[in-house]
């Protein structure tokens, strides 16, 4: 009988080591190596040649006709938008988010909406009892929805139960970290258990045509916990984001094999659950007065959806020789340092003796490089104490040379701004040609021309 060699698997990244050590050599996490007992390999298995003995598979060309997969919409427009139009039969979706952000609430609402439309839905909770889920459904006004509930953690028991009758159209597993497979050793939540349980559930989805939604825990960094291979196994990865102190929640698509990525769905937490937000710009625009300095509106773009957010800046001059502080909320601090350097080197504005604070209103996080011009406008306005026109929006990318570069989807951003009552746009010269009738434009070739315009010079 072959000897079974010990191996240690990192619970953070899934790497394998043949000896225990305090720190993982691949991801540098501490105390994450856990011993696993692999299946003993016989000499025959080690020397077996896989180039023969199998069945022949059919190979087809790229020009073969393929029909688009049919989708089943939930009827919740924001959720359907993030998924690319609805559920695909036999697909596997992974949704992650911070504890208490509303993952279970959203999935319970989605399951109830699908069940009320005549589809069979099964909701399996590994963290709560069935009565707890039922009480939450009653609080949300979903007590009459024909959703089948269960509280179980054994993957074998779940699949055995669902295989007896007609498979459901939707299976929700809350969460995958609580599932346990008796085919391998290890406690629930370990890398091997999460991988094995997810593999069996995904195989059931592909064979029986059931759409499976897996809830995943997240780490302190906000990434989905467990092995990285879990994200590669599923068809769609959704991230549920938001701050508990704010009302809004954003459902962001990170991966979608059946549709586009970077789509978002916006929800607002209310007393009866998560409500759809058809106009998310209203959440991120505060009441703006005419005389407020350091505030600029930026039309951000999330997928195909423009969202207007307010960029706020505060510049405080220091009388002493203390080191000035730079604080950023909702934007990249390194990009702020670059904008400050360009303003000082190319435009003659000095921020070296000033503290700079930058904030994106509403807790929104901006990653679009088109926000450069809006940030520069807010900084110049705060430094000079001259307010930016309240009816103007600004967007554009700033190069290190001081040149203003165009950004993608400028007409879409302008249409959204015009729809919300804005009348002027401050943008790069090369982006001002399309659709002039939407709103008035003030175009600039360099950042120096833009600063001169804000300060009324020339």
């Amino acid at each position: 009988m072959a000897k079974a060699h010990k191996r240690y698997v990192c619970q953070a990244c899934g790497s394998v080591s043949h000896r225990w050590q305090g720190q993982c050599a691949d991801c540098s996490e501490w105390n994450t190596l856990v011993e696993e007992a692999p299946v003993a390999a016989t000499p025959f298995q080690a020397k077996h040649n896989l180039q023969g003995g199998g069945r022949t598979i059919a190979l087809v060309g790229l020009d073969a006709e393929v029909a688009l997969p049919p989708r089943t919409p939930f009827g919740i427009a924001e959720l359907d938008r993030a998924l690319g139009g609805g559920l695909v039969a036999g697909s596997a979706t992974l949704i992650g988010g911070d504890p208490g952000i509303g993952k279970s609430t959203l999935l319970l609402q989605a399951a109830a909406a699908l069940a009320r439309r005549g589809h069979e839905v099964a909701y399996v909770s590994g963290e709560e009892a069935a009565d707890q889920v039922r009480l939450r459904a009653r609080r949300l006004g979903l007590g009459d929805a024909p959703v089948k509930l269960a509280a179980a953690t054994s993957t074998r028991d779940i699949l055995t139960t669902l295989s007896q009758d007609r498979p459901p159209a939707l299976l929700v597993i809350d969460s995958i970290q609580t599932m346990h497979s008796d085919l391998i050793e290890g406690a629930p939540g370990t890398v091997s258990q999460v991988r094995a349980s997810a593999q069996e559930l995904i195989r059931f989805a592909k064979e029986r045509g059931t759409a499976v939604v897996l809830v995943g825990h997240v780490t302190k960094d906000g990434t989905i916990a467990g092995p990285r291979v879990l994200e590669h196994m599923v068809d769609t990865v959704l991230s549920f984001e938001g701050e508990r102190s704010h009302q809004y929640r954003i459902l962001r698509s990170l991966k979608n094999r059946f549709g586009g990525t970077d789509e978002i769905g916006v929800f607002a937490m209310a007393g009866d659950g998560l409500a759809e937000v058809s106009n998310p710009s209203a959440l991120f625009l505060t009441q703006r007065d005419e005389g407020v300095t350091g505030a600029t509106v930026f039309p951000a773009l999330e997928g195909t959806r423009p969202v207007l957010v307010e960029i706020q800046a505060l510049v405080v001059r220091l009388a002493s020789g203390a080191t000035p502080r730079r604080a950023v909320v909702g934007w990249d601090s390194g990009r702020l340092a670059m904008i400050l350097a360009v303003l000082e080197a190319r435009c003659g504005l000095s921020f070296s003796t000033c503290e700079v604070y930058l904030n994106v209103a509403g807790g929104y996080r901006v990653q679009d490089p088109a926000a450069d011009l809006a940030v520069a406008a807010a900084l110049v306005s705060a430094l000079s104490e001259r307010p930016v026109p309240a009816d103007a929006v600004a967007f554009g990318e700033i190069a290190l040379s001081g040149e203003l570069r165009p950004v993608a989807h400028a007409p879409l951003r302008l249409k959204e701004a015009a729809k919300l009552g804005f009348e002027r746009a401050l943008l790069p010269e090369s982006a001002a040609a399309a659709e002039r009738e939407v709103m008035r434009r003030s175009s600039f070739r360099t950042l120096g021309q833009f600063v001169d315009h804000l300060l009324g010079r020339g």
Side-chain angles (χ1 to χ4, degrees):
M1 182 176 179
K3 180 180 179 181
H5 297 280
K6 292 183 179 180
R7 67 174 187 174
Y8 300 87
V9 180
C10 177
Q11 304 301 296
C13 67
S15 65
V16 180
S17 175
H18 295 291
R19 62 184 182 88
W20 186 91
Q21 50 191 1
Q23 186 180 29
C24 176
D26 291 333
C27 66
S28 301
E29 293 289 337
W30 288 90
N31 300 322
T32 57
L33 294 179
V34 176
E35 179 184 350
E36 286 188 2
V39 179
T42 63
F44 173 78
Q45 291 174 330
K47 298 179 180 180
H48 187 57
N49 188 1
L50 297 180
Q51 296 182 5
R55 61 181 180 86
T56 304
I57 60 176
L59 301 176
V60 298
L62 291 175
D63 56 350
E65 293 293 333
V66 179
L68 294 177
R71 294 183 178 272
T72 303
F74 284 101
I76 303 176
E78 297 299 311
L79 178 59
D80 292 335
R81 175 196 293 271
L83 288 171
L87 276 179
V88 176
S91 64
T93 301
L94 176 65
I95 177 172
D98 294 332
I101 204 67
K103 302 184 298 296
S104 300
T105 300
L106 175 63
L107 291 179
L108 189 58
Q109 291 181 240
L114 201 62
R116 284 173 173 172
R117 302 179 64 184
H119 299 278
E120 189 170 349
V121 178
Y123 189 104
V124 180
S125 175
E127 300 179 344
E128 297 178 287
D131 290 340
Q132 291 178 284
V133 180
R134 191 177 296 109
L135 288 175
R136 189 193 314 132
R138 290 179 181 176
R139 290 197 307 268
L140 300 175
L142 309 173
D144 59 338
V147 178
K148 296 182 179 180
L149 298 178
T153 58
S154 173
T155 306
R156 182 184 295 274
D157 295 345
I158 295 171
L159 298 181
T160 301
T161 303
L162 296 179
S163 300
Q164 293 178 353
D165 300 325
R166 187 181 65 178
L170 173 65
L171 171 62
V172 178
I173 302 295
D174 187 7
S175 66
I176 188 60
Q177 273 80 13
T178 61
M179 295 296 112
H180 177 269
S181 173
D182 55 10
L183 295 178
I184 58 175
E185 298 179 359
T190 59
V191 169
S192 56
Q193 284 291 348
V194 170
R195 183 171 54 231
S197 299
Q199 184 174 2
E200 293 299 324
L201 291 167
I202 293 173
R203 179 185 302 173
F204 174 82
K206 302 300 182 183
E207 293 177 352
R208 305 300 295 272
T210 297
V212 175
V213 177
L214 308 175
V215 178
H217 295 170
V218 295
T219 63
K220 60 182 180 181
D221 298 326
T223 58
I224 297 178
R228 194 71 179 184
V229 70
L230 182 61
E231 299 184 31
H232 297 288
M233 294 167 61
V234 298
D235 301 308
T236 306
V237 179
L238 301 177
S239 176
F240 207 38
E241 305 171 356
E243 300 289 340
R244 292 189 180 184
S245 57
H246 293 95
Q247 184 185 14
Y248 79 93
R249 304 287 189 269
I250 292 180
L251 184 64
R252 191 184 306 272
S253 175
L254 304 179
K255 170 190 175 182
N256 195 343
R257 289 175 178 166
F258 303 107
T261 57
D262 293 332
E263 286 287 359
I264 66 168
V266 184
F267 300 86
M269 182 62 74
D272 56 349
L274 291 166
E276 300 178 67
V277 179
S278 57
N279 183 16
S281 299
L283 286 177
F284 309 116
L285 286 180
T286 60
Q287 292 298 117
R288 307 181 70 243
D289 298 327
E290 294 288 340
V292 176
T293 61
T296 310
V297 175
F298 164 62
L301 199 66
E302 291 284 354
T304 59
R305 163 178 282 188
V307 179
L308 268 65
V309 296
E310 187 177 70
I311 308 293
Q312 301 172 346
L314 178 64
V315 176
V316 181
R317 291 180 173 84
L318 297 178
S320 62
T323 302
R325 181 184 179 189
R326 277 88 170 99
V328 186
V329 177
W331 206 50
D332 184 15
S333 59
R335 205 157 185 90
L336 172 63
M338 186 195 76
I339 299 299
L340 291 174
V342 175
L343 285 172
E344 186 157 349
R346 307 297 180 186
C347 304
L349 300 180
S350 178
F351 291 87
S352 58
T353 59
C354 301
E355 290 188 339
V356 177
Y357 301 90
L358 189 72
N359 176 52
V360 180
Y364 190 81
R365 295 187 180 275
V366 175
Q367 299 176 348
D368 194 344
D372 289 353
L373 199 60
V375 171
L379 292 172
V380 173
S381 172
L383 181 67
S384 62
E385 298 183 357
R386 295 172 63 99
V388 178
D391 61 344
V393 297
F395 61 91
E397 185 178 356
I398 299 176
L400 291 179
S401 62
E403 178 190 4
L404 298 186
R405 303 171 60 88
V407 295
H409 306 292
L412 194 61
R413 302 173 194 264
L414 295 176
K415 286 181 179 179
E416 179 69 14
K419 190 191 332 181
L420 294 178
F422 291 89
E423 300 177 356
R424 294 183 55 194
L426 310 176
L427 70 170
E429 191 175 65
S430 53
E435 300 185 18
R436 289 185 177 275
E437 67 276 4
V438 175
M439 59 196 309
R440 293 187 290 116
R441 320 280 177 93
S442 296
S443 58
F444 310 94
R445 188 174 56 85
T446 64
L447 184 60
Q449 296 177 359
F450 177 71
V451 171
D452 290 341
H453 174 78
L454 292 181
L455 299 181
R457 300 186 303 205

